[in-house]
Amino acid sequence: MQTESAHSQSTFDFATYLAEKRVLIERELDAYLISKEPKMLWESIRYSVLEGGKRLRAILCLTTGLAVIQEKLSTDEVVQTVLPCACAIEMIHAMSLIHDDLPALDNDDLRRGKPTNHKVYGEAIALLAGDALLMLACETLLTKTPKLISMDSIATVTNELCRATGAEGMVGGQVYDLEFTGRVEQLRTEGGIASDTSTLELIHRGKTGALIKFSAWSGAKLIGASDKELGQINKFSEVLGLAFQIADDLLDVTGDVKSLGKTPGKDQAANKVTWVTLFGEEETRSRLKHLEAEGLELLDNLDCASEPATALRRLLQYAIHRSN
Ligand code: IPE
Ligand code: IPE
Ligand code: MG
Ligand code: MG
Ligand code: MG
């Protein structure tokens, strides 16, 4: 058990931590995604992966890698070991955003302050760029992870990435999201669901939670965390993933287009089942408050290095209190 010291809290500069990790991740992504033929496909891929984004999932992956207490690797070696996985996660995430914005799904025109991928490259290329990114992510994890990690371990992590992304994870969650779209009133009047959050959790844990859970788990797994540590990290990241999507639901109502970089008010307009459309703003804020307390408590019980423990706390708070 380790509660962070007041000292480490006060000396830890979270803004610098985020900025440094973002530079590292973006430099690596840029190197992995060198433009080739067909030009339009690679332009489309680079457009959605490289420009903008908080990089929260990739930073989470690096941070849980750094959190594992071990003697064999320096901080820099840990980062280099986990970086390909962190980049693979950003590729999957970018793919999910490209597809999520398509007219067949959320039909959005603005993402990260720019026109969505299909608005620039057309729907066909947007679909295909997403397909390519799925495979590029697996390729990156399998071929770029340093050889000091056993192929067995890399295969385990790659398998988990496939599960988190596919029908049992993100893709399944997106399907639940679509299935429940337009049914807010029905769910309210039918009762049951209004008092029972299981439908929302089914959607949120799938479409958003699965990749966030993988992000936290994979960094620690690659660095050799024990099953006990991985179990604790999973519990924490389930709270983080749920809170992250609930905060996104809230931002759709409270955010402005400039800071969000995407069009607000879309959930209400599309009659999406979100925390806010089902339970209202006040209840949503209260749920977030509870999740913040729960997540912080779980971190108190996590046996890990002091600075990464502080970074994980801040990441949870950032996920909940962010403005974009
Ligand atoms: C947006 O994710 C999609 C959701 C799962 C809510 P982010 O809010 O992490 O998007 P970027 O990467 O920072 O643009
Ligand atoms: C997106 O959820 C989840 C995935 C991309 C998998 P949202 O549809 O709420 O995300 P935004 O609001 O468009 O970023
Ligand atoms: Mg969506
Ligand atoms: Mg969307
Ligand atoms: Mg949203």
Side-chain angles (χ1 to χ4, degrees):
M1 307 281 179
Q2 185 170 336
T3 308
E4 61 177 347
S5 67
H7 176 73
S8 76
Q9 264 198 71
S10 62
T11 55
F12 182 70
D13 182 348
F14 185 56
T16 304
Y17 183 83
L18 287 183
E20 284 175 359
K21 297 287 178 286
R22 278 178 188 144
V23 168
L24 213 61
I25 291 155
E26 281 166 13
R27 202 186 294 144
E28 197 77 358
L29 282 167
D30 188 37
Y32 289 155
L33 301 173
I34 290 173
S35 203
K36 307 178 187 95
E37 296 291 338
K39 274 234 149 10
M40 172 114 101
L41 174 67
W42 283 95
E43 249 184 52
S44 158
I45 288 171
R46 289 177 60 86
Y47 180 82
S48 286
V49 178
L50 297 178
E51 292 169 36
K54 295 179 286 295
R55 312 295 182 200
L56 184 123
R57 295 158 187 77
I59 295 172
L60 178 63
C61 176
L62 295 179
T63 306
T64 58
L66 290 165
V68 178
I69 296 170
Q70 46 80 44
E71 273 132 41
K72 282 178 279 176
L73 301 173
S74 67
T75 298
D76 191 47
E77 284 168 332
V78 169
V79 168
Q80 291 310 319
T81 302
V82 181
L83 201 47
C85 183
C87 290
I89 292 165
E90 281 298 317
M91 291 178 199
I92 298 283
H93 175 53
M95 161 265 149
S96 81
L97 299 180
I98 297 172
H99 286 184
D100 181 69
D101 290 334
L102 284 168
L105 282 92
D106 291 353
N107 193 18
D108 269 303
D109 296 346
L110 194 68
R111 169 72 64 185
R112 295 175 172 171
K114 301 181 305 178
T116 43
N117 193 294
H118 65 272
K119 283 278 155 191
V120 180
Y121 299 97
E123 284 178 42
I125 293 295
L127 263 174
L128 293 166
D131 293 345
L133 278 167
L134 279 169
M135 291 295 100
L136 279 165
C138 291
E139 196 184 324
T140 301
L141 192 47
L142 288 167
T143 63
K144 305 291 185 190
T145 303
K147 297 287 172 273
L148 66 104
I149 304 298
S150 74
M151 210 50 220
D152 243 26
S153 180
I154 296 172
T156 302
V157 173
T158 309
N159 180 47
E160 207 49 50
L161 177 64
C162 294
R163 272 167 36 87
T165 303
E168 286 177 58
M170 176 202 293
V171 172
Q174 288 284 63
V175 173
Y176 286 127
D177 178 296
L178 294 175
E179 270 184 18
F180 285 101
T181 298
R183 295 172 57 188
V184 176
E185 271 315 308
Q186 182 203 344
L187 289 175
R188 274 212 203 103
T189 49
E190 266 175 8
I193 208 71
S195 55
D196 170 4
T197 57
S198 60
T199 299
L200 269 168
E201 294 205 3
L202 193 66
I203 299 170
H204 285 22
R205 286 189 198 286
K207 73 173 186 175
T208 303
L211 189 61
I212 289 184
K213 186 172 175 184
F214 172 79
S215 305
W217 174 87
S218 56
K221 175 72 184 172
L222 284 167
I223 301 304
S226 67
D227 287 347
K228 184 175 169 230
E229 287 166 329
L230 291 171
Q232 290 175 331
I233 285 171
N234 280 344
K235 274 193 181 159
F236 164 70
S237 63
E238 281 174 11
V239 171
L240 173 64
L242 186 57
F244 185 87
Q245 184 58 48
I246 296 177
D248 180 79
D249 293 350
L250 188 62
L251 282 169
D252 183 73
V253 182
T254 60
D256 61 278
V257 65
K258 200 163 183 299
S259 48
L260 274 184
K262 51 189 186 183
T263 315
K266 291 286 312 261
D267 293 340
Q268 199 91 42
N271 203 3
K272 286 264 182 199
V273 171
T274 74
W275 224 276
V276 182
T277 57
L278 214 50
F279 300 119
E281 232 180 285
E282 202 181 317
E283 188 57 35
T284 303
R285 286 184 202 282
S286 142
R287 181 78 177 119
L288 280 174
K289 215 169 153 199
H290 279 103
L291 287 170
E292 181 173 351
E294 194 183 337
L296 292 176
E297 198 183 323
L298 286 167
L299 287 177
D300 281 344
N301 296 327
L302 186 65
D303 212 354
C304 77
S306 157
E307 184 174 298
T310 306
L312 288 173
R313 286 175 172 270
R314 297 292 163 84
L315 281 170
L316 173 69
Q317 289 167 326
Y318 174 53
I320 291 175
H321 300 289
R322 66 207 159 95
S323 60
N324 73 336

